[in-house]
């Protein structure tokens, strides 16, 4: 009959029997449960969670207790200074006899002094042509092939002032030293990096040059041009240049010789003396 229920086949004992602790109901042939077997199952993870919470609470309590003990202890005095009394200029009130430097004596730096005094003196026997300040516009017009672009480039670095020294040594050597002081060190770094960048190429010296001695690499460099400048109707001119930075001051030195090759030692020694002066 259609609706007649069939009796499921009885399984042998132990054959495909469901696990007693994984089935919701006991097996048919399982022994009767005793009172001791009627305890509820243990939920896994609860013990580990309680241990973790206790550990967190214990460490927090220990930290608080340690902080409280440390807070109650007297402060440990610092070691005494090597120089107990620092000698500094006393502040003065501005009047008719004071200057900007005297009022700001505690903030005055050597680089705030007259920049032309930091230019290297012309050697004995040389003729000093000029030694003075130049405006950014005048200096750009004389120095760059494209004065307008050069002016924008220098002005964008927040140049503060420019001092130039120009002298001759006989009728063969010309030296021009330029000191550019910027508002901060970053401006001087940008200028020296840009000017040094093109020197190894064909538009510059055409070689890697040499670092100035007794200083970190990159703070000062000198180049002797591989080829002289030649122009019809004029004698060939041999050239060397040096670029260095000291603080917020960039130094640019041009060395020209119209009678022979420039000695690398000459440009390096001259540039090193100028850097030491700064």
């Amino acid at each position: 009959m259609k609706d007649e229920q069939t009796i499921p086949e009885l399984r042998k004992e132990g054959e495909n029997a469901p696990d007693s602790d994984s089935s919701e109901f006991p097996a048919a042939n399982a022994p009767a449960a005793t009172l001791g077997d009627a305890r509820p199952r243990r939920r896994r993870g609860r013990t580990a969670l309680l241990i973790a919470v206790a550990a967190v609470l214990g460490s927090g309590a220990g930290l608080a207790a340690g902080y409280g003990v440390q807070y109650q202890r007297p402060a440990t005095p610092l070691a005494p200074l090597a120089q107990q009394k620092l000698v500094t200029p006393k502040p003065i009130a501005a009047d008719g006899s004071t200057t900007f430097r005297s009022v700001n004596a505690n903030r005055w730096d050597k680089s705030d002094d007259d920049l032309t005094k930091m230019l290297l003196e012309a050697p004995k026997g040389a003729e000093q042509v000029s030694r003075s300040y130049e405006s950014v516009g005048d200096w750009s017009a004389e120095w760059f092939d494209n004065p307008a672009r050069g002016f924008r480039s220098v002005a964008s670095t927040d140049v503060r002032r420019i001092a130039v020294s120009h002298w001759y040594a006989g009728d063969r050597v010309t030296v021009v030293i330029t000191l550019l002081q910027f508002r901060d060190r970053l401006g001087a770094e940008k200028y020296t990096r840009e000017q040094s960048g093109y020197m190894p190429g064909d538009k510059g010296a055409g070689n890697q040059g040499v670092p100035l001695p007794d200083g970190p690499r990159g703070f000062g460099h000198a180049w002797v041009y591989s080829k002289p400048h030649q122009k019809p109707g004029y004698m060939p001119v041999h050239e060397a240049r040096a670029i260095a930075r000291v603080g917020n001051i960039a130094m640019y030195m041009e060395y020209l010789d119209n009678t022979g090759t420039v000695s690398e030692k000459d440009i390096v020694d001259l540039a090193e003396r100028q850097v030491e002066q700064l």
Side-chain angles (χ1 to χ4, degrees):
M1 294 177 60
K2 240 181 195 181
D3 298 331
E4 184 178 358
Q5 296 181 352
T6 58
I7 301 174
E9 182 182 357
L10 295 177
R11 299 185 180 90
K12 294 180 181 180
E13 183 179 358
E15 178 181 351
N16 296 329
D19 295 336
S20 61
D21 56 348
S22 63
S23 174
E24 187 177 357
F25 302 99
N29 56 356
T34 62
L35 184 61
D37 297 326
R39 61 180 180 273
R41 295 179 183 177
R42 178 182 299 171
R43 295 184 181 182
R44 298 178 180 177
R46 175 178 294 183
T47 302
L49 179 61
L50 292 176
I51 294 175
V53 171
V56 172
L57 293 177
S59 61
L63 181 63
Y67 180 81
V69 172
Q70 184 67 26
Y71 182 79
Q72 298 297 330
R73 293 176 178 175
T76 303
L78 298 175
L81 297 175
Q83 187 176 358
Q84 296 293 332
K85 295 182 179 180
L86 300 178
V87 180
T88 57
K90 295 181 179 180
I92 59 175
D95 55 27
S97 62
T98 56
T99 64
F100 177 82
R101 177 170 180 172
S102 62
V103 172
N104 297 275
N106 293 333
R107 297 190 299 270
W108 192 265
D109 187 77
K110 180 182 177 182
S111 62
D112 295 319
D113 208 343
D114 188 351
L115 194 61
T116 60
K117 294 180 180 179
M118 300 184 190
L119 287 164
L120 192 65
E121 293 282 350
K124 186 177 181 180
E127 179 185 355
Q128 186 79 56
V129 179
S130 63
R131 184 188 178 93
S132 61
Y133 286 104
E134 288 190 10
S135 66
V136 178
D138 292 341
W139 183 79
S140 301
E142 183 179 353
W143 188 256
F144 293 102
D145 294 333
N146 188 329
R149 186 171 62 183
F151 174 84
R152 290 194 298 269
S153 176
V154 176
S156 66
T157 55
D158 292 332
V159 64
R160 179 179 172 187
R161 51 185 180 168
I162 301 175
V164 181
S165 176
H166 184 185
W167 45 269
Y168 294 123
D171 57 354
R172 53 184 289 268
V173 175
T174 301
V175 176
V176 180
I177 305 175
T178 304
L179 300 182
L180 299 97
Q181 185 175 30
F182 296 82
R183 296 292 178 185
D184 52 34
R185 178 177 55 84
L186 296 179
E189 282 183 350
K190 180 181 178 182
Y191 176 80
T192 54
R193 183 172 60 250
E194 291 177 350
Q195 296 300 314
S196 301
Y198 77 89
M199 288 300 295
D202 295 336
K203 293 184 179 181
N207 58 74
Q208 296 298 322
V210 294
L212 298 182
D214 300 328
R217 186 178 182 87
F219 277 54
H221 216 82
W223 298 263
V224 176
Y225 277 59
S226 301
K227 299 179 181 179
H229 298 288
Q230 294 182 326
K231 191 175 182 180
Y234 293 89
M235 297 178 62
V237 177
H238 300 268
E239 182 176 2
R241 296 194 181 188
I243 301 174
R245 178 188 67 81
V246 179
N248 65 338
I249 298 178
M251 183 275 293
Y252 199 106
M253 179 180 294
E254 186 179 19
Y255 189 109
L256 303 174
D257 192 329
N258 61 6
T259 60
T261 304
V262 179
S263 169
E264 183 180 276
K265 182 179 183 301
D266 291 344
I267 183 66
V268 169
D269 289 346
L270 200 62
E272 190 177 10
R273 286 169 51 198
Q274 177 61 80
V275 170
E276 288 175 356
Q277 180 118 341
L278 293 176

